Amino acid sequence: MKVLLFSVAALLYLRCIGALRPEESALLREDVREAFHFTYDSYMRHAFPLDELRPISCSGMDTLGEYALTLVDALDMLALVGNASEFSQSVQWLAKNLDFDKDLTVSLFETNIRVMGGLLSAHLLASDESTGMRVPDYRGELLDIAHDLGQRMLPAFNTPTGIPYGAVNLKHGVAAFESRITCTAAGGTLAIEFGTLSRLTGNPIFEAKAKAALIGLWSRRSELDLVGAHINIITGEWTHRDAGIGTSIDSFYEYLMKAYILLGDDEYLDIFREAYQAAEMHLRRDPWYVEVNMNTGSVVWPVFNSLQAFWPGLQVLAGDVEAAARTHRAFFSVWQHYGFTPEGFHLNRGAVHDGQVSYPLRPELIESTYMLYKATRDPIYLAVGREMLTSLQRARAPCGYARVADVRTHQLSDHMESFFLAETLKVRPTELLPGRDPP
Ligand SMILES: *[C@@H]1O[C@H](CO)[C@@H](O)[C@H](O)[C@H]1NC(C)=O
């Protein structure tokens, strides 16, 4: 199948992108801080301790659990914006009130990346004098809570393949009727948090289980060294054989590389090298990526989806900076076309994919832009950042930032994912100026 590329828009990349004045990046950074404080205050006033904010109606709701999700997810941002008093207070509140002894069935994947990750990074910040965020009288309570949470997640790993169930009940373990089908990303996105939990507690089981899950997936790869999208965790049979770098698979690749960087375990790097090489060979239609049948390599979906947008950042980590720049340029052309990236964009038609028209304030393309800027120092990426920030301001609602329900009309809907504060608005703790880097 021939893949027509949406390359006209890619050529318009430089349209409207003027260079940044030197003082401008510092001002833009203040805009991001303002967006953070405005939204954080709004969450605390209208939604906390519920999970997430409804930024149009100025209210809140529990979404993934009942665990003050947005606050837990955003703790490290309080540290990054330098707000030690609010960070301290939040850590102390969570140390006292967060309790996972609940008859509640939660997503293993989301609980791990947002809650486990939030607790562990906050613990590291709170317990270390050198971060400037040492919390007075802190005695590792968040680590104890994370350890308890980890133990409540362990029953999910009781499968013949080592690949975990997608959901677990925090009080009762895995329900008899729980689905045996999980997606590759859900089984392969645990190693960073579980590895950290093991290293900090001295309890090796978490790191071992997360690694076994990854190997359970990888050992079932196709002859092309590709993994599918969905797998039966009992039989190990792939139930959905589309391979790709986006939806359902994305962070499987990301975690192989980042787990290696964080934990120093060479096996992750070895798997990453093979997996990455195969993805570049079979999924890339330069500069885009498509979805192919994992066994035959034939194209199934010529689609860009917004979860693919982390890939240029990963390419930077893999040392493929030039390819990363090309991919980023293509993906950003979609952003420029609509002002946001739709969940799905059809490469043959050069149009939004039916039913995949929203932009839930995702961070992936922004992270890739940051990684490319760090690698190249090319000021074009600061200008890209400015354009993205301008776009995000269009999603500003009375009490926060709202999911864009349709990127064609910019109509908003009344929900803000916790990752908007935790990831999309991520700033770094020193001035974001060209040529200046923190030590
Ligand atoms: C810290 O955050 C709180 C809550 O948003 C705010 O009231 C306070 O002014 C902030 N302090 C600093 C130094 O930014």
Side-chain angles (χ1 to χ4, degrees):
M1 184 173 184
K2 186 161 176 273
V3 179
L4 296 175
L5 301 177
F6 184 64
S7 48
V8 179
L11 292 175
L12 299 178
Y13 181 56
L14 297 177
R15 178 183 57 111
C16 306
I17 296 243
L20 239 63
R21 284 172 286 114
E23 66 282 8
E24 202 179 347
S25 56
L27 293 173
L28 290 170
R29 191 160 173 278
E30 282 317 303
D31 289 348
V32 177
R33 277 171 188 272
E34 189 279 331
F36 174 79
H37 275 118
F38 161 68
T39 309
Y40 174 82
D41 286 347
S42 238
Y43 166 74
M44 292 306 283
R45 175 165 339 148
H46 301 292
F48 174 81
L50 301 178
D51 282 341
E52 290 181 324
L53 178 66
R54 306 188 59 155
I56 297 174
S57 59
C58 302
S59 58
M61 59 180 166
D62 278 327
T63 48
L64 297 179
E66 295 165 8
Y67 35 41
L69 175 65
T70 298
L71 179 65
V72 174
D73 206 359
L75 285 170
D76 66 337
M77 273 294 286
L78 288 171
L80 286 175
V81 300
N83 196 329
S85 60
E86 188 70 18
F87 177 75
S88 255
Q89 264 184 38
S90 302
V91 167
Q92 283 158 353
W93 188 91
L94 290 166
K96 229 166 101 188
N97 294 287
L98 201 56
D99 178 12
F100 295 114
D101 190 26
K102 285 181 180 164
D103 183 2
L104 189 69
T105 298
V106 298
S107 152
L108 199 73
F109 169 83
E110 299 288 0
T111 302
N112 181 57
I113 64 171
R114 304 199 207 193
V115 181
M116 182 65 81
L119 291 173
L120 292 174
S121 63
H123 165 73
L124 289 168
L125 289 160
S127 54
D128 183 350
E129 208 67 59
S130 71
T131 61
M133 289 290 144
R134 176 95 176 86
V135 173
D137 299 325
Y138 179 72
R139 291 194 184 80
E141 291 90 338
L142 295 191
L143 181 59
D144 296 340
I145 293 173
H147 197 182
D148 173 60
L149 176 60
Q151 272 154 340
R152 293 172 187 277
M153 292 165 82
L154 284 180
F157 292 83
N158 242 330
T159 66
T161 58
I163 305 165
Y165 283 90
V168 66
N169 185 290
L170 293 176
K171 208 184 187 91
H172 304 298
V174 176
F177 54 79
E178 191 52 57
S179 171
R180 298 170 161 205
I181 310 292
T182 195
C183 72
T184 297
T189 310
L190 296 145
I192 293 175
E193 292 80 3
F194 271 41
T196 304
L197 182 60
S198 278
R199 304 280 172 108
L200 291 174
T201 58
N203 180 351
I205 189 159
F206 306 103
E207 188 167 349
K209 292 284 182 191
K211 187 170 175 182
L214 259 173
I215 289 174
L217 288 164
W218 182 241
S219 64
R220 291 173 173 81
R221 66 192 179 278
S222 72
E223 284 187 5
L224 301 179
D225 285 339
L226 294 173
V227 290
H230 294 169
I231 194 164
N232 182 316
I233 57 173
I234 306 298
T235 65
E237 238 186 297
W238 295 101
T239 57
H240 185 43
R241 294 185 170 78
D242 293 359
I245 59 165
T247 310
S248 299
I249 304 179
D250 52 358
S251 41
F252 166 81
Y253 291 104
E254 179 190 9
Y255 268 48
L256 284 170
M257 175 53 115
K258 291 184 179 172
Y260 163 69
I261 293 172
L262 186 69
L263 305 171
D265 180 336
D266 287 338
E267 223 174 321
Y268 288 126
L269 183 61
D270 294 341
I271 299 175
F272 174 80
R273 282 206 177 109
E274 286 181 56
Y276 177 78
Q277 203 175 28
E280 289 290 293
M281 185 181 302
H282 299 292
L283 305 176
R284 187 175 178 87
R285 300 290 184 277
D286 205 353
W288 303 95
Y289 289 80
V290 294
E291 294 188 6
V292 309
N293 180 289
M294 65 185 285
N295 297 310
T296 65
S298 59
V299 177
V300 188
W301 290 110
V303 69
F304 160 75
N305 60 62
S306 62
L307 289 173
Q308 293 177 351
F310 80 104
W311 195 260
L314 188 67
Q315 289 180 301
V316 168
L317 292 178
D320 261 349
V321 179
E322 277 178 30
R326 285 203 302 280
T327 311
H328 177 271
R329 175 181 296 214
F331 292 179
F332 183 60
S333 73
V334 180
W335 181 293
Q336 279 194 303
H337 190 71
Y338 294 103
F340 301 99
T341 41
E343 289 292 72
F345 178 81
H346 203 287
L347 296 174
N348 280 355
R349 289 188 220 129
V352 172
H353 205 290
D354 295 339
Q356 301 183 15
V357 302
S358 70
Y359 170 68
L361 306 174
R362 290 196 188 283
E364 283 79 3
L365 192 58
I366 296 169
E367 182 183 342
S368 282
T369 307
Y370 172 75
M371 299 292 279
L372 269 161
Y373 178 65
K374 293 283 285 179
T376 64
R377 294 282 152 189
D378 185 338
I380 190 81
Y381 296 112
L382 294 178
V384 168
R386 176 180 59 191
E387 189 147 330
M388 290 170 146
L389 184 56
T390 305
S391 280
L392 287 174
Q393 298 296 13
R394 289 189 213 119
R396 187 151 168 150
C399 296
Y401 288 73
R403 158 193 276 270
V404 179
D406 187 332
V407 298
R408 296 166 300 188
T409 60
H410 291 186
Q411 190 198 340
L412 304 178
S413 69
D414 198 11
H415 181 208
M416 190 188 83
E417 294 268 4
S418 70
F419 56 65
F420 177 71
L421 279 182
E423 300 182 62
T424 309
L425 289 182
K426 204 116 222 168
V427 291
R428 48 173 224 196
T430 51
E431 293 304 309
L432 189 67
L433 286 173
R436 278 182 52 184
D437 218 3

